[in-house]
Amino acid sequence: MNSKYDKYINQWNNIFSKEIPKVPTNQRSGNRALDKGIEWICNGTKSILDFGCGNGTMLFLCALNGTKYNIGVDLSEKAIENAQIRAKQMSKGEYRFIQGSIDALESISDSSFDAIILFNIIDNLYPEDAEVLIKEVERILCSNGKLLVKLNPYITLDQIIEWDLKVIKDNLLDDGLILLNNTTEKWKNFFSIKFNICKYNEIYYPEFEQTNRMFWLTKK
């Protein structure tokens, strides 16, 4: 899987190489809509996995919201390096960070996690990899386990033309990263095959003038 994402791994390595690793000092992210999702997935949760964890921020927030066992997986070596440095600064939670792809999930036992986070990752994969990831997530989650998914905004045809984005094929774009540009309805259909949709809400980030989409899901 890695070779087709090498370009993007290099981009993230470059971004994280400029970062000064610091950890959150309280359980709030600063975005109320996001915080509600974090509170929901952490409620009653001991073990949580974040695939596409970057520098570990979401897991650190989860630990401050009560999770105990926190595992992160990311393709970027530098992101994982930063996450490991930051974990040593945390007063709460136990952490393990793994540099790797979906293949890294294969060694994780069935029904072994209470909750999983997929933030701006499943729609930054090729469609065939998104299918594999969601199957692995279902396998790893315990019965009635929680899944919190955050997606990039849907880009309209007019925006694709205006921003001169590259269309790889159908709804697969290259906007600097791979973007699986599904409508919200198409994502609902995708998730509802294996998960119950408890809630859908949108998160506005004023600093980016961008709205992300969030699904609160439980395993069927």
Side-chain angles (χ1 to χ4, degrees):
M1 172 181 170
N2 286 30
S3 60
K4 59 186 174 182
Y5 294 99
D6 281 349
K7 169 186 171 183
Y8 312 108
I9 295 171
N10 290 335
Q11 288 180 15
W12 284 113
N13 281 340
N14 183 54
I15 290 169
F16 285 113
S17 67
K18 299 173 182 176
E19 178 184 67
I20 299 174
K22 295 181 180 179
V23 295
T25 56
N26 64 72
Q27 64 193 107
R28 304 299 178 202
S29 70
N31 185 299
R32 289 184 65 186
L34 177 59
D35 287 340
K36 288 184 180 298
I38 294 172
E39 289 169 8
W40 171 78
I41 202 165
C42 293
N43 184 27
T45 294
K46 289 185 177 179
S47 58
I48 189 165
L49 184 148
D50 184 353
F51 184 83
C53 67
N55 61 11
T57 294
M58 286 301 114
L59 287 180
F60 300 137
L61 288 171
C62 287
L64 293 171
N65 277 274
T67 61
K68 185 173 182 181
Y69 304 106
N70 308 274
I71 294 185
V73 179
D74 201 279
L75 281 171
S76 167
E77 300 96 329
K78 189 62 183 176
I80 292 299
E81 179 183 322
N82 287 5
Q84 290 169 337
I85 292 171
R86 298 173 90 206
K88 294 176 182 178
Q89 302 173 29
M90 288 293 297
S91 59
K92 292 186 178 181
E94 299 176 21
Y95 304 93
R96 181 185 174 204
F97 289 101
I98 304 166
Q99 191 275 317
S101 64
I102 297 171
D103 295 345
L105 301 179
E106 295 176 0
S107 62
I108 298 176
S109 301
D110 295 0
S111 305
S112 56
F113 275 85
D114 299 323
I116 293 178
I117 292 173
L118 301 178
F119 274 14
N120 303 99
I121 182 64
I122 197 166
D123 56 339
N124 285 136
L125 298 175
Y126 287 92
E128 61 271 22
D129 293 328
E131 292 280 357
V132 173
L133 176 58
I134 204 68
K135 289 177 183 177
E136 284 294 285
V137 166
E138 181 197 27
R139 180 185 66 79
I140 292 168
L141 275 176
C142 65
S143 178
N144 299 315
K146 298 177 185 179
L147 172 61
L148 191 63
V149 181
K150 187 156 72 69
L151 303 167
N152 293 286
Y154 175 70
I155 299 177
T156 66
L157 179 57
D158 287 344
Q159 289 171 327
I160 290 171
I161 295 170
E162 179 184 351
W163 298 339
D164 194 25
L165 301 182
K166 179 182 177 182
V167 178
I168 299 172
K169 182 181 179 182
D170 300 326
N171 60 334
L172 187 65
L173 308 179
D174 185 338
D175 68 343
L177 297 172
I178 290 294
L179 179 62
L180 188 51
N181 188 41
N182 289 342
T183 63
T184 301
E185 191 61 32
K186 190 166 184 177
W187 280 117
K188 284 181 179 178
N189 293 336
F190 176 82
F191 294 130
S192 64
I193 294 171
K194 299 179 183 297
F195 297 89
N196 300 305
I197 299 176
C198 301
K199 185 175 180 179
Y200 168 80
N201 68 319
E202 297 183 344
I203 304 172
Y204 181 64
Y205 291 93
E207 63 270 35
F208 305 117
E209 297 183 344
Q210 185 181 92
T211 299
N212 277 199
R213 300 168 286 173
M214 180 178 281
F215 286 90
W216 305 19
L217 309 168
T218 56
K219 181 176 174 179
K220 288 185 176 179

